[in-house]
Structure formats: C-alpha cells, structure tokens
Amino acid sequence: MAQLGDHVRAKALLRSAAQAFGKKEAVARARCVVAEAEIALASRDLAWPAKALDAARATLEEHGDRVNAAHARYLEVRRLLLIGRLDEAERALAELYPTPFPPALTAVHELVVAGIAMRRLRAKAARAALARAESAARHAGIPALAAEIESALLVLNTPAARLIEGGAERLLLLEEVEALLASKAFVVDACRHVVRDESKVVSLAKRPVLFALARALGEAWPGDVSRDTLIARAFRLKLADESHRARLRVEMGRLRRMLRTLADVSATKRGFALAPRRACEVVVLARPVEEKHAAVLAFLADGESWSTSALALALGASQRTVQRALDSLAAACKVQSFGRGRARRWTTPPMPGFATALLLPAPLAFD
C-alpha cells in the first residue's frame, strides 16, 4: 500500500498488525514499528515518536535481528538529516558499520554520508559516497533506491548558488562554492547570512538590517554605495529624510563594529564603502533563485508531500508562520495542497535546474 502511495492506509494496516501480535512476538511487533517509521519518513510525517523507534531498534538488537535494527537506526539518521540536525546525524551514523549489511543497507548508508557531505559543502566526499551507493544499489536491484541516488547525483551537477562580483553574476556548482569558501576572498554569504574571509566568520543571521547593508557594500565593491540606496535596501524605504540618514549612520556604526576584524566600513562623499583588511577581492554568494520563502520551497522541492507541522519542525518555525508562507506561495501558484485538516499536504514540482542544498537551514561547518 505504501508503494502505491496510500501511506495512510499502510500505516493503519501496520498498526493493526502490531496490535495483533502478542507479547511473545516482540520481534514482529518491533518490525511493524520500524516499517511504520519508514512510511512516516516517506510521507514527511516528522513528528512520529522517535522513542518508539529507538525501543523497537533495541528489541531487534536484543533478539539478533541486526539488519532491521540497523535499518531503524538509518531511519532516525535520515530524519535528523532532513530537519538539519547534522551533528546528531553524524554521531548516530558513526555507530553504524555497513560492511556486514546487505547491499540495500550499504547504499542507504552511503546516501546518508553523501547527504551530510553535501550539506557540509564537501562535494568530493559526496561524489565518492554516491559512487559507492550506486554500486551497492546495482547489487541490490531496487529501482526506487537507484532513482534516489540518481536524484542526489543531479544535485551535484546543477547550480547551487550565484556569484556576484564586479557587477556581474554567474552560477556555481557545489564544488565551486566549496572552493570559493576555502579561498582567500572576502565573502558576503547571502545563503547563510554570514560574512567571512579565510580566517574568520561573522554571523549576521539575526541582524537582517546589518546584513542588507553588508550585501549592498559587497555588491558595489570596490566602489561605494549612496546613502539613499543603502536606506532603500536596508529599511525598504523609497524616500529618505534626515531621520533615516541618522539611523543609517547608527547602523553603519554597528556594522563597522561587527566587521572590525574583517574589513573597514568608511564614509565617502556619496555614501559608504567596504575595504577588506586581508582579502584582495570581495564577492557575494547568493541563492540561485531569490525568493522570500526560499526555505519552504527548498523542502518542497524534493517532490514529496509535506504537512504544515513537518515543515515547521524542519524549519524551526511556528506552524502559523509556515502556514502564512504556504498561503503566499499558493496564491502565487508555486505550491499546491491536497487533503483536509491534519491530512492536508503540500507539494510542488522540483525547481528546474537548481540544487537546493544552500537553501536549507542547517549551519555549515567552518573549519
């Protein structure tokens, strides 16, 4: 039933089966729990009880069913990866050794390794893991698994970001983004809302006005930006008066203090200019598609159907905030829903030609 797409019916049948097994059939009951968790993950029901899955895994290990116990662990790791908890996913993955497992589980293991590597912007490691996953999937002979690996490979071969430099723009693959962040350039990262050079990272994720100013200065480098343009970009005002210019001076002072170890922000006759202290060039790294609700679209772009509660959990936002974003996207015909009440799900076709790794909210690892 799950393979036919009727996840609700499949979960109901599994629960009925689990109840039908007696206390002496603990292994069978545990396998039902694991199967239900797999369906929940496929249907993006991320609120399923992790403790129940952990208990089922412990039961399977106790009775020697190591393959299904490992499968339960991989389900939990994939859930952690999906909601951006990469550190926890890596710790859980470190407890698993895929060598004695059948090819299907080996492929799943390598898929998780690749997923973490892509989110960490380690393209070479991701490609190597996907090559191993592809080999294991061929031995397993499971078309759905092969299709998932093919989809992951597609992410590595499509643009993941835009580079804005000297007034020109070009698209970057994941490898190119990785190389850029490892270079000596001064990078204003509009994907993660940080400013960085080769030795230091300053986060402006909670300071949207300061980041808007930093991005405007980065896009104009080596030139300056007029005060009126900065006011329009940071405060979203078309007309400026003396009070707005005074506020701009205050915000520029704050930005200067935030970036004091990375760059100098100086006043000019026309406005303000950015001058990096160590780097020889300034670039802006932007999302491949500028969209107000890009994070929501990034999750929906996997082609699966999501509930509002699952999106809220993955994004770390309230359901009300997520619902407002979905309503806005639906009005623009960018998403669509089906079902009612708690069964309501949201979906959208994948964004053509763009990877979504940089749209997702998990933090990068800055080595």
Side-chain angles (χ1 to χ4, degrees):
M1 295 303 298
Q3 290 178 357
L4 290 173
D6 193 345
H7 294 143
V8 174
R9 179 62 176 159
K11 286 192 288 187
L13 289 171
L14 279 170
R15 288 174 184 173
S16 177
Q19 292 173 359
F21 288 116
K23 292 183 179 180
K24 295 182 179 180
E25 297 170 297
V27 173
R29 291 168 64 93
R31 287 172 180 170
C32 288
V33 172
V34 174
E36 186 179 348
E38 183 173 9
I39 294 171
L41 185 66
S43 60
R44 297 303 185 256
D45 179 11
L46 303 183
W48 46 268
K51 290 183 178 180
L53 180 62
D54 193 55
R57 178 187 57 79
T59 298
L60 293 170
E61 287 180 344
E62 183 181 347
H63 288 81
D65 189 353
R66 295 182 179 180
V67 172
N68 280 312
H71 184 50
R73 174 73 75 176
Y74 282 124
L75 290 175
E76 175 58 20
V77 173
R78 297 187 77 175
R79 175 180 176 271
L80 292 171
L81 178 60
L82 197 60
I83 61 178
R85 292 160 64 176
L86 300 189
D87 292 338
E88 292 180 49
E90 284 183 316
R91 286 194 295 269
L93 189 65
E95 299 177 9
L96 289 164
Y97 301 94
T99 303
F101 297 150
L105 272 187
T106 301
V108 169
H109 178 92
E110 298 300 342
L111 263 175
V112 175
V113 171
I116 293 173
M118 283 189 280
R119 295 286 287 276
R120 298 291 197 192
L121 295 189
R122 299 168 183 162
K124 185 176 180 180
R127 286 194 184 277
L130 287 176
R132 295 191 296 269
E134 199 172 28
S135 176
R138 281 198 300 269
H139 286 87
I142 302 174
L145 189 57
E148 189 172 358
I149 295 168
E150 185 179 352
S151 178
L153 281 169
L154 182 63
V155 172
L156 288 176
N157 295 321
T158 52
R162 284 182 300 128
L163 178 69
I164 304 173
E165 183 180 14
E169 297 184 12
R170 66 183 179 91
L171 295 170
L172 300 180
L173 297 176
L174 203 63
E175 285 96 342
E176 295 173 302
V177 174
E178 181 182 11
L180 175 66
L181 296 183
S183 72
K184 297 181 178 181
F186 181 96
V187 181
V188 181
D189 187 347
C191 300
R192 303 290 171 166
H193 294 89
V194 301
V195 177
R196 61 176 293 160
D197 64 9
E198 62 177 330
S199 60
K200 189 174 179 62
V201 178
V202 174
S203 174
L204 298 177
K206 296 182 179 180
R207 308 293 293 272
V209 171
L210 297 189
F211 184 80
L213 294 172
R215 177 170 177 173
L217 294 173
E219 290 178 356
W221 186 88
D224 61 356
V225 186
S226 70
R227 289 171 175 81
D228 288 344
T229 300
L230 289 169
I231 289 171
R233 290 280 296 269
F235 309 144
R236 299 179 183 179
L237 297 172
K238 294 182 179 180
L239 299 176
D241 56 25
E242 283 304 317
S243 66
H244 300 133
R245 293 187 177 89
R247 184 186 174 191
L248 177 64
R249 288 193 295 271
V250 171
E251 297 296 346
M252 278 299 182
R254 291 170 177 165
L255 181 63
R256 188 179 291 113
R257 288 192 295 273
M258 292 287 290
L259 301 184
R260 62 185 179 277
T261 60
L262 297 179
D264 181 46
V265 178
S266 58
T268 66
K269 290 183 178 180
R270 199 170 71 101
F272 291 87
L274 183 73
R277 297 190 182 280
R278 291 177 292 272
C280 297
E281 62 175 335
V282 176
V283 299
V284 174
L285 186 69
R287 291 167 173 169
V289 177
E290 297 286 359
E291 162 63 52
K292 181 180 179 181
H293 304 298
V296 176
L297 284 176
F299 282 102
L300 294 178
D302 65 359
E304 301 292 344
S305 57
W306 288 72
S307 66
T308 305
S309 60
L311 285 169
L313 178 63
L315 290 166
S318 68
Q319 289 193 44
R320 185 181 295 274
T321 298
V322 172
Q323 188 61 56
R324 284 199 297 266
L326 290 169
D327 290 340
S328 177
L329 291 169
C333 298
K334 294 181 179 180
V335 301
Q336 59 187 5
S337 65
F338 59 90
R340 294 183 178 181
R342 294 184 178 181
R344 193 178 191 188
R345 294 292 185 270
W346 295 86
T347 186
T348 184
M351 296 174 67
F354 294 105
T356 58
L358 297 188
L359 300 181
L360 301 179
L364 296 175
F366 297 115
D367 298 325

